[in-house]
Amino acid sequence: MELNEYQNSDELRHDQQKSDGGEQEVSKPERDGKSAAPVRGIWSPFISFILPGLSILLSLVVLSTVVILFSQHFREVKMPDANFKPHHSQLKSNVTRLSEEVRSLLAEHKSQMSKQKENPPQVQCPDQWRRFQQNCYYFSLVTKNYTDAQRSCTSMHANLVVINSAEEKVFLQHWTHKGSHWIGLSDSISEGDWRWVDGTDYASSVKFWSPNEPNNRYNVEDCAELLVYGEWNDAPCNFHRYWICEKSA
Ligand code: MAN
Ligand code: CA
């Protein structure tokens, strides 16, 4: 048969197979697509069964790897290993040490606060005034009668001194060696009814009368003076004396 007598490509292929001795079973795909069916036949079990199987297997491997990794991670977090224990005890001792430090600082702060309460920060007294405890004292350089002396004190926002303790008496007598000084005590309203100028209760407060004083000599002594040795005498209020003013610091 001549080549040009072949009716179609199938016939041509058949002829070629015969001439090759029938060894080549698979022929090349034809351009017209009529011979695609044998190719699908070979690959179809792979596509239908093996590929999905491999996909499932791969998915299982990935999933189990993720599960294993996660479980390892959570085991590490929940169950600390031996290395964690020293770390934990170190933290515990640090917390204990810090607590002790805080306690000691609080105690120190408390003690400083109470010290500050006992000795509040010093406030300056005005020029020519002397400080004792929480008060400022003015020792006059001239003499006046009792009424003018008290007026002088009030003009400086003070009063004639009120003596409340033996300590204050000692402080005052240290600065009064040059003569007698008026203090803020008198019974001019009513004889024998001694009153402190600031209203301090006379009956319950300390008294430093000199022996046999107050004697109201000649019945004209209604004002108290501080003698050079620190004790008191009642004297006529019109006498001229030095005086002491007192006000809060
Ligand atoms: C003496 C005493 C006092 C009196 C004065 C008056 O020192 O009698 O009691 O007050 O004199 O200057
Ligand atoms: Ca007297």
Side-chain angles (χ1 to χ4, degrees):
M1 193 183 284
E2 292 299 321
L3 185 63
N4 59 3
E5 288 178 339
Y6 281 90
Q7 296 299 308
N8 55 39
S9 57
D10 283 339
E11 287 176 21
L12 177 59
R13 192 178 61 245
H14 182 67
D15 193 57
Q16 282 173 337
Q17 282 174 349
K18 279 205 286 190
S19 67
D20 291 343
E23 289 175 13
Q24 191 175 351
E25 289 184 12
V26 179
S27 60
K28 289 176 185 172
E30 300 278 326
R31 277 190 190 157
D32 61 4
K34 286 183 179 174
S35 62
V39 175
R40 275 200 305 273
I42 291 163
W43 286 99
S44 72
F46 181 76
I47 292 165
S48 302
F49 300 106
I50 298 170
L51 198 60
L54 280 174
S55 300
I56 291 165
L57 198 64
L58 192 64
S59 301
L60 284 172
V61 167
V62 169
L63 192 67
S64 55
T65 307
V66 167
V67 167
I68 288 164
L69 286 174
F70 260 92
S71 64
Q72 277 181 349
H73 173 73
F74 281 109
R75 197 161 46 240
E76 280 169 13
V77 170
K78 284 182 180 172
M79 299 174 65
D81 58 14
N83 293 332
F84 185 77
K85 283 187 175 172
H87 185 54
H88 176 258
S89 69
Q90 181 70 42
L91 278 175
K92 206 174 170 184
S93 79
N94 281 355
V95 167
T96 309
R97 185 172 50 78
L98 283 170
S99 302
E100 280 163 12
E101 259 177 53
V102 166
R103 216 186 337 268
S104 129
L105 282 170
L106 280 173
E108 194 183 327
H109 175 71
K110 201 176 170 184
S111 120
Q112 279 183 354
M113 288 294 280
S114 69
K115 271 183 197 166
Q116 201 172 23
K117 209 174 174 182
E118 284 167 20
N119 300 307
Q122 299 283 296
V123 179
Q124 286 285 332
C125 289
D127 277 353
Q128 298 184 319
W129 290 66
R130 302 184 188 282
R131 185 189 180 88
F132 177 70
Q133 295 178 349
Q134 298 308 303
N135 297 311
C136 300
Y137 298 84
Y138 174 79
F139 295 84
S140 77
L141 301 173
V142 296
T143 60
K144 287 186 176 188
N145 67 42
Y146 188 93
T147 307
D148 287 345
Q150 168 62 10
R151 197 171 288 142
S152 172
C153 291
T154 53
S155 77
M156 294 186 287
H157 310 288
N159 271 319
L160 282 170
V161 66
V162 175
I163 301 168
N164 306 97
S165 68
E167 292 77 14
E168 191 177 12
K169 169 189 177 278
V170 170
F171 162 77
L172 294 173
Q173 78 189 61
H174 179 76
W175 297 103
T176 53
H177 50 83
K178 64 184 177 185
S180 295
H181 290 66
W182 292 128
I183 62 174
L185 180 65
S186 72
D187 69 343
S188 50
I189 294 173
S190 170
E191 179 53 38
D193 182 14
W194 291 94
R195 296 189 185 188
W196 286 107
V197 70
D198 71 342
T200 294
D201 183 53
Y202 172 80
S204 61
S205 57
V206 289
K207 297 163 192 69
F208 300 103
W209 291 112
S210 198
N212 304 315
E213 304 296 345
N215 62 356
N216 194 24
R217 190 182 184 198
Y218 305 128
N219 209 27
V220 291
E221 299 187 328
D222 294 337
C223 291
E225 60 182 354
L226 180 66
L227 303 173
V228 288
Y229 301 111
E231 292 181 326
W232 309 343
N233 171 53
D234 61 341
C237 298
N238 60 347
F239 278 15
H240 278 226
R241 297 283 186 258
Y242 295 105
W243 72 93
I244 306 163
C245 303
E246 177 185 15
K247 64 180 174 181
S248 298

